[in-house]
């Protein structure tokens, strides 16, 4: 049994991470096990459809003046909740010293509270299983996807909304309920959130765990299979899965860990990024209508409002704003075997909402429609390489939606594309670097190194590696 860390009087104790050298090996066994003790993978689709039929879900677009508890405050025009909690939609001005667009204005979500994204694990028949939830999110294209055991903002689990208790939350907030395997703050979408982080946790239960009907136990191998299906495993699950500790891979990285960290630190240091909050009402290039805030060129995204009904949520009905992107995103790592070891081409990416100047992102992370008017050197690096990739070079492909609690029908085509020297030279251009999946896995154990899209691809990389064994 764990003992709390020593804390000063009056401060809450925290869970103590489990320092167990066997954890990585046990995770590897789970990753290699495609048959679960409780639910067969081939029966999963029927189980999920059963949970969909068991509940009533409905999401409708509404006008801004139909929002309940939300309003555009004066004089800023920021879209805020009357409680002062949850989140607000404000304006942001970003200035950089590189790229085609060196200054831009946009709406941004300001949600300063840190939420918990937690997955509970437990051994069955000697194999670790992960407890995932069939959870409705209003922005999901198919509404119901697999979320972590707990996916809750502080407002949710402290019941600001006066709803029901968040199931299983005690395993992640009370010492002694479990052994912590991973616990790290990770950023959310830096293009749409301002300085937003969530606590990504994996906790092993030490006692019996009652199973709610909307939850299921799956091995890591089963989840790997489901990651090959479109819009099944939600973004919050994928970011936590990227934090799974796995056995160290073979040696042979192009850069040593020290050299990689030095390169990344230099990238952070050389970028001068200034992000300033500005009033939403006076945002150049954006216009507010009765039911949407849109970019004047018809690009990027809209801010919209929805009414939601979901009888299995902590609150059964509510209204809220959502960001609705325009077009399908393309998110990809170019990959190469270097010295026989798989590497991916990471990009030190600037996003206006990051706490620091850059985080490591995929090689390509763009919505092609937003760049269709650009030509030549103004086109995003490597985008056309990915778009033109022959099917034989694509080792992984699936459509995954982004965070359904804040974004409406935000989908990206996630890809792993094998490249050659001509398409992606060993000497990478400025801002790019070849790294191994093992190096990314090590960096994910620390805060704000790897962005959320790269964490999704890391989870898929690991699933692909297991599947190909």
């Amino acid at each position: 049994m764990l003992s709390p860390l020593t804390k000063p009087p009056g401060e809450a104790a925290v869970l103590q991470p489990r320092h167990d050298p066997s954890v990585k090996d046990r995770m590897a066994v789970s990753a290699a096990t495609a048959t679960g003790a409780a639910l067969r993978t081939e029966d999963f689709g029927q189980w999920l459809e059963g949970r969909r039929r068991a509940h009533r879900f409905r999401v409708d677009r509404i006008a801004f003046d139909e929002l309940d508890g939300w309003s555009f405050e004066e004089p800023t025009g920021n879209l805020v909740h009357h409680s002062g909690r949850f989140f607000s939609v404000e304006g942001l001005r970003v200035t950089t010293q590189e790229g085609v667009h060196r200054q831009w204005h946009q709406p941004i979500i300001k949600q300063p509270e840190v939420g918990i994204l937690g997955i509970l694990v437990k051994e069955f028949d000697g194999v670790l299983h992960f407890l995932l939830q069939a959870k409705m999110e209003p922005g999901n294209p198919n509404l119901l996807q697999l979320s972590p055991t707990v996916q809750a903002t502080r407002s949710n689990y402290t019941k600001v909304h006066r709803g029901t208790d968040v199931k299983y939350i005690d395993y992640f907030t009370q010492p002694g309920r479990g052994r912590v395997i991973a616990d790290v703050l990770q950023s959310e979408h830096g293009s749409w959130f301002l300085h937003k982080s969530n606590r990504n946790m994996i906790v092993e239960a030490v006692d019996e765990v009652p199973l709610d009907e909307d939850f299921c136990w799956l091995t890591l191998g089963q989840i790997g299979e489901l990651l090959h299906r479109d819009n099944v495993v939600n973004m919050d699950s994928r970011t936590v899965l990227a934090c799974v500790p796995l056995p160290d891979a073979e040696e042979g990285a192009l850069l040593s860990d020290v050299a990689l960290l030095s390169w990344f630190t230099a990238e952070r240091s050389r970028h001068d990024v200034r992000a300033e909050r500005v009033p939403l009402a006076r945002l150049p290039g954006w216009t507010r209508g009765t039911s949407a805030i849109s970019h004047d060129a018809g690009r990027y995204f809209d801010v919209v409002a929805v009414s939601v009904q979901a009888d299995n949520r902590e609150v059964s009905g509510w209204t809220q704003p959502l960001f609705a992107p325009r077009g399908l995103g393309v998110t990809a790592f170019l990959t190469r075997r270097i010295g026989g070891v798989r590497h991916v081409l990471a990009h030190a990416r600037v996003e206006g909402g990051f706490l620091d100047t850059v985080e490591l992102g995929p090689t390509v992370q763009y919505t092609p429609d937003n760049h269709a008017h650009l030509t030549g050197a103004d086109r995003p690096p490597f985008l056309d390489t990915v778009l033109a990739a022959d099917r034989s070079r694509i080792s992984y492909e699936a459509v995954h939606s982004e965070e359904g609690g804040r974004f409406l029908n935000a989908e990206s085509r996630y890809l792993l594309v094998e490249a050659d020297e001509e398409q992606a030279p060993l000497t990478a251009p400025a801002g790019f670097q070849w790294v191994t999946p093992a190096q990314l896995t090590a960096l994910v154990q620390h805060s704000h190194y790897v962005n959320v899209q790269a964490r999704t691809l890391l989870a898929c990389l690991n699933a692909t590696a297991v599947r190909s064994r």
Side-chain angles (χ1 to χ4, degrees):
M1 184 65 67
L2 299 174
S3 59
L5 295 173
T6 302
K7 300 287 288 183
E11 290 193 24
V14 297
L15 295 172
Q16 184 175 10
R18 180 184 186 186
H19 300 291
D20 184 343
S22 71
V23 167
K24 292 182 179 181
D25 294 333
R26 295 165 70 215
M27 287 293 180
V29 170
S30 182
T33 304
T35 302
L39 179 64
R40 299 189 309 169
T41 310
E42 55 265 37
D43 296 332
F44 171 79
Q46 183 179 354
W47 177 84
L48 187 64
E49 183 57 33
R51 302 324 308 154
R52 193 187 312 278
R53 291 195 304 266
H55 301 289
R56 177 176 174 268
F57 303 128
R58 180 167 179 170
V59 178
D60 296 301
R61 285 278 302 271
I62 59 175
F64 288 130
D65 62 10
E66 296 177 77
L67 284 168
D68 181 19
W70 296 84
S71 62
F72 292 98
E73 70 174 2
E74 296 294 340
T76 64
N78 294 341
L79 185 52
V80 300
H81 192 262
H82 67 78
S83 67
R85 302 290 295 273
F86 300 110
F87 64 95
S88 59
V89 179
E90 305 183 2
L92 191 72
R93 177 173 60 235
V94 183
T95 305
T96 70
Q97 292 181 327
E98 292 185 0
V100 177
H101 303 290
R102 302 196 177 189
Q103 184 180 88
W104 69 89
H105 295 79
Q106 65 167 92
I108 197 84
I109 297 171
K110 183 175 179 290
Q111 185 175 350
E113 63 183 25
V114 175
I116 291 178
L117 306 177
I119 296 180
L120 197 63
V121 301
K122 185 172 175 60
E123 269 196 11
F124 296 97
D125 297 338
V127 179
L128 284 174
H129 286 61
F130 292 59
L131 185 62
L132 299 183
Q133 174 186 181
K135 183 169 185 175
M136 180 271 195
E137 293 287 352
N140 288 341
N142 52 355
L143 294 183
L144 201 65
Q145 296 186 17
L146 279 181
S147 81
T149 316
V150 166
Q151 176 185 322
T153 65
R154 185 180 292 122
S155 293
N156 288 144
Y157 65 80
T158 59
K159 298 201 287 188
V160 170
H161 50 45
R162 298 186 296 277
T164 60
D165 292 334
V166 174
K167 295 180 176 69
Y168 302 105
I169 186 64
D170 290 352
Y171 288 95
F172 302 93
T173 58
Q174 292 187 8
R177 293 303 305 273
R179 303 183 181 116
V180 177
I181 291 173
D183 190 356
V184 60
L185 286 177
Q186 297 289 6
S187 62
E188 291 255 359
H189 294 74
S191 294
W192 294 331
F193 279 109
L194 180 63
H195 301 167
K196 177 73 172 71
S197 297
N198 276 324
R199 191 176 177 188
N200 288 223
M201 302 180 71
I202 302 173
V203 174
E204 183 178 3
V206 296
D207 299 315
E208 292 300 315
V209 179
L211 183 63
D212 183 275
E213 60 185 359
D214 286 327
F215 292 71
C216 65
W217 292 104
L218 298 168
T219 69
L220 193 53
Q222 289 180 291
I223 297 170
E225 291 285 335
L226 297 177
L227 280 168
H228 287 78
R229 304 183 188 182
D230 293 349
N231 288 325
V232 171
V233 181
N234 83 353
M235 186 219 78
D236 297 294
S237 291
R238 300 191 306 264
T239 179
V240 179
L241 291 168
C243 301
V244 168
L246 293 170
D248 297 332
E250 57 186 319
E251 298 292 330
L254 181 65
L255 289 186
S256 68
D257 292 348
V258 171
L260 176 60
L261 287 172
S262 178
W263 170 82
F264 183 66
T265 302
E267 286 296 313
R268 277 192 164 168
S269 300
R270 77 178 181 86
H271 285 279
D272 183 10
V273 182
R274 299 183 182 182
E276 305 167 86
R277 292 161 58 193
V278 296
L280 184 63
R282 297 189 291 277
L283 206 58
W286 295 80
T287 301
R288 188 178 101 196
T290 58
S291 59
I293 301 172
S294 303
H295 190 264
D296 293 345
R299 302 190 188 108
Y300 311 120
F301 60 91
D302 299 326
V303 182
V304 300
V306 296
S307 171
V308 186
Q309 296 293 323
D311 62 13
N312 68 336
R313 290 289 300 263
E314 294 86 5
V315 173
S316 61
W318 69 94
T319 64
Q320 68 169 94
L322 289 172
F323 278 25
R326 298 214 174 186
L328 178 70
V330 173
T331 304
F333 269 134
L334 293 181
T335 73
R336 286 187 64 180
R337 290 276 174 182
I338 302 174
V341 177
R342 192 178 203 180
H343 286 65
V344 300
L345 186 59
H347 180 203
R349 181 180 172 86
V350 171
E351 296 183 20
F354 283 155
L355 276 167
D356 213 325
T357 55
V358 300
E359 293 188 14
L360 287 179
T363 319
V364 166
Q365 181 189 315
Y366 302 103
T367 299
D369 290 353
N370 292 336
H371 305 276
H373 61 295
L374 300 176
T375 59
D378 290 342
R379 296 277 292 168
F382 300 108
L383 174 60
D384 293 328
T385 300
V386 169
L387 294 177
D390 188 87
R391 297 294 309 174
S392 63
R393 290 184 174 271
I394 299 174
S395 60
Y396 175 87
E397 180 178 11
V399 173
H400 294 302
S401 59
E402 306 304 327
E403 212 283 312
R406 298 291 177 266
F407 313 131
L408 180 62
N409 297 329
E411 296 178 288
S412 286
R413 182 177 167 225
Y414 279 87
L415 299 149
L416 299 174
V417 179
E418 297 173 9
D420 56 27
E421 176 66 19
E422 181 179 355
Q423 295 163 325
L426 199 60
T427 302
F432 293 82
Q433 189 55 261
W434 292 103
V435 302
T436 67
Q439 288 177 314
L440 283 179
T441 298
L443 289 174
V444 165
Q445 308 309 313
H446 306 277
S447 301
H448 305 136
Y449 277 91
V450 182
N451 81 354
V452 67
Q453 289 88 351
R455 296 197 302 274
T456 279
L457 279 172
L458 180 60
C460 298
L461 264 167
N462 291 333
T464 301
V466 169
R467 190 173 184 170
S468 62
R469 287 173 185 165

